[in-house]
Amino acid sequence: MTQKQTGDYIVNSCTMYIKPQEYGNRVYSLIGEVEEEILCPLKPFSIIQKGCAYYGVDYEGRRKGTRLLIDYSRKLPIVIEPINNIYTFCTASPENPKCIWFFAEHIKDYRRVSARETMVIFRNNHSNIFPVSYNTFNTQMLRTSYLQMKLMQRVEFNKEKLILFLHGPKNSKASESSELYLNKRK
C-alpha cells in the first residue's frame, strides 16, 4: 500500500481503519483505505466526529441513537452514514489515545495472534496485526452487526407501514378503490 499525507480527512466508503500514530510529540491518525494509507494530523476520534458532522449528524446524536437501538453504553459502534453502509467501531473508549476505529464493511475475517493482538484480514486481502485482544474485537464486530440489523429492521418496518398507508391491506375495499383511482390517473 502506498502512503500519503493530508491535512484533512473525511471518512468515506473506502475507509478500512483509523489508528493513532505517534508523530513527534503529537498523535496523528494513520488511515487505512482500500488502495493506500494516509497520515493525517488529526486524532482518530476527531476524524470520527468530523465524519459524522460531514454526513449531517453530530457524533453525540449518533451515539445516543446507537444506545437506543442496541441498549449498550460503552464502546458503542457508530453509524456514520447508513446509505453507504459506513459503520465503525472502536477498540477502547473513544477518548483513549490508543483507540483504533474499524469499518465493519471492509472486514473479511480476523484471527487471534496473541493475548493482546488480532490479525484483521480486509476484503481487499490486505491484513494487519493490531494491538487489540481477539475477544474485544469479536465483541465489537458482534455489536456492530447487531446495530446494523436493528437499524435495517426499523427501515423495513417503516417501509411496510408506508406501503400499507399508500395501498391499504390487500383484501380491503379501500385498497381496491385506491387501485382503481391510481389506475385511472395513469
Side-chain angles (χ1 to χ4, degrees), residues 74-129:
R74 296 176 356 100
K75 292 194 284 188
L76 294 171
I78 299 296
V79 181
I80 291 184
E81 207 284 305
I83 294 170
N84 289 307
N85 211 23
I86 303 175
Y87 290 77
T88 189
F89 64 88
C90 53
T91 59
S93 168
E95 291 86 11
N96 183 326
K98 294 182 180 180
C99 178
I100 303 169
W101 292 84
F102 289 93
F103 293 78
E105 179 68 14
H106 291 284
I107 297 169
K108 180 178 179 180
D109 200 6
Y110 49 98
R111 299 186 181 118
R112 182 187 321 267
V113 173
S114 68
R116 294 190 176 140
E117 292 181 315
T118 301
M119 175 188 286
V120 180
I121 300 120
F122 297 98
R123 285 181 36 202
N124 67 354
N125 290 320
H126 284 95
S127 63
N128 287 346
I129 296 173

Side-chain angles (χ1 to χ4, degrees), residues 129-171:
I129 296 173
F130 293 92
V132 57
S133 76
Y134 177 86
N135 290 339
T136 296
F137 193 90
N138 188 53
T139 297
Q140 292 303 94
M141 279 292 291
L142 292 173
R143 283 184 182 169
T144 306
S145 295
Y146 186 51
L147 173 61
Q148 288 174 307
M149 180 194 71
K150 294 296 278 184
L151 193 57
M152 289 309 299
Q153 285 174 342
R154 294 266 173 102
V155 168
E156 288 301 314
F157 176 74
N158 285 320
K159 213 187 292 184
E160 288 171 11
K161 281 177 62 174
L162 179 61
I163 289 168
L164 276 174
F165 174 75
L166 292 174
H167 301 289
K170 286 291 179 199
N171 296 325

